[in-house]
Amino acid sequence: MLLFAHILHFCALNYLFMAINIAILASGSGSNAEKIIKHLRNKEIGTVKAVISNKKDAFVLQRAANLGVKSYVFNKKEWESGKNIIHLLSELHIDFIVLAGFLLKVPKSLIDNYTNRIINIHPALLPKFGGKGMYGDFVHQAVLTSKETESGITIHYVNEEYDQGSIILQKKCPVYPNDTVSTLATRIHTLEHTYFPLVVEELISKL
Ligand code: GRF
């Protein structure tokens, strides 16, 4: 009986300290993915198990390889159905999903499987400058065109609508009259690289 209690206690402790497995979905350069991977690398709380993309030539795949993280690519049809992706996620025991510059819509089946466990980063202050087609430089150009005096980043949960899940964190930065898409993008990236890894760490610590 006592032995049984010890085993139960051991299992419970083990469960408590089990690292959270993370998958990062990305379609492009992957600078945010790299920051998150490096931030969690020497921590016990969680680990990036996979980088998953829809583009076989995305630079994020190169970054993942350099950092020793496995990567996977699925085609458009597979992303629409979600079946193969969910299969992979369950095989890898993924607990939490981070979208870092992922350009396709997340399949509904995936959202249903990971309620409140999928987050995204958007390079502007939602709800402004969000929605379909609002990504990357298009966002910064729209901010400049509408003569905003500030922009920033939004980290939010993912639901079925582009950029409409509940907001977790926003951080602002100034937009200067002489800004170009490139200078603004650099300022925004700096904010993203500072806060995104911290938010991921904070959220997985509560799982
Ligand atoms: C970031 O600006 C992010 O806000 C947006 O896509 C960009 C990805 O940049 N969703 P990177 O590929 O991480 O450099």
Side-chain angles (χ1 to χ4, degrees):
M1 193 64 187
L2 192 63
L3 178 68
F4 183 63
H6 275 308
I7 291 172
L8 262 186
H9 183 65
F10 176 77
C11 290
L13 277 180
N14 230 359
Y15 180 75
L16 271 180
F17 293 115
M18 225 147 54
I20 299 296
N21 292 330
I22 300 164
I24 298 182
L25 275 48
S27 309
S29 157
S31 67
N32 280 286
E34 177 163 344
K35 291 284 176 191
I36 294 166
I37 293 166
K38 285 183 169 164
H39 181 78
L40 292 174
R41 208 154 43 176
N42 298 316
K43 297 194 162 66
E44 281 164 16
I45 188 159
T47 174
V48 178
K49 280 267 169 205
V51 166
I52 309 176
S53 188
N54 59 315
K55 292 207 165 156
K56 58 179 187 308
D57 56 353
F59 188 60
V60 69
L61 302 175
Q62 190 57 57
R63 291 190 199 255
N66 294 343
L67 293 162
V69 175
K70 282 198 177 155
S71 60
Y72 306 82
V73 178
F74 291 96
N75 64 35
K76 199 158 177 270
K77 264 204 167 139
E78 291 176 294
W79 282 105
E80 275 159 13
S81 120
K83 200 171 133 228
N84 294 350
I85 294 133
I86 288 180
H87 184 73
L88 174 73
L89 294 172
S90 103
E91 231 175 41
L92 297 174
H93 305 288
I94 297 298
D95 307 296
F96 193 76
I97 299 172
V98 177
L99 272 55
F102 182 66
L103 295 183
L104 293 184
K105 204 158 194 178
V106 177
K108 178 172 171 1
S109 51
L110 215 146
I111 291 171
D112 292 344
N113 268 265
Y114 285 88
T115 312
N116 286 332
R117 284 173 178 239
I118 311 180
I119 64 168
N120 179 46
I121 189 160
H122 187 77
L125 297 170
L126 292 173
K128 279 179 153 184
F129 308 108
K132 195 168 174 8
M134 272 296 182
Y135 61 89
D137 288 352
F138 294 116
V139 178
H140 306 310
Q141 185 56 64
V143 168
L144 294 178
T145 304
S146 78
K147 303 214 177 309
E148 299 291 313
T149 54
E150 61 182 14
S151 187
I153 61 168
T154 305
I155 299 171
H156 63 94
Y157 288 105
V158 172
N159 65 13
E160 282 175 60
E161 302 305 322
Y162 277 113
D163 303 324
Q164 283 186 26
S166 56
I167 291 174
I168 300 161
L169 178 88
Q170 291 190 304
K171 288 283 168 187
K172 293 178 181 172
C173 65
V175 178
Y176 301 114
N178 60 349
D179 261 332
T180 62
V181 165
S182 154
T183 57
L184 181 55
T186 304
R187 199 171 306 124
I188 296 284
H189 255 126
T190 304
L191 273 185
E192 293 185 329
H193 295 164
T194 306
Y195 291 103
F196 206 13
L198 296 176
V199 169
V200 171
E201 183 182 0
E202 160 97 18
L203 291 176
I204 63 172
S205 76
K206 292 180 186 154
L207 291 180

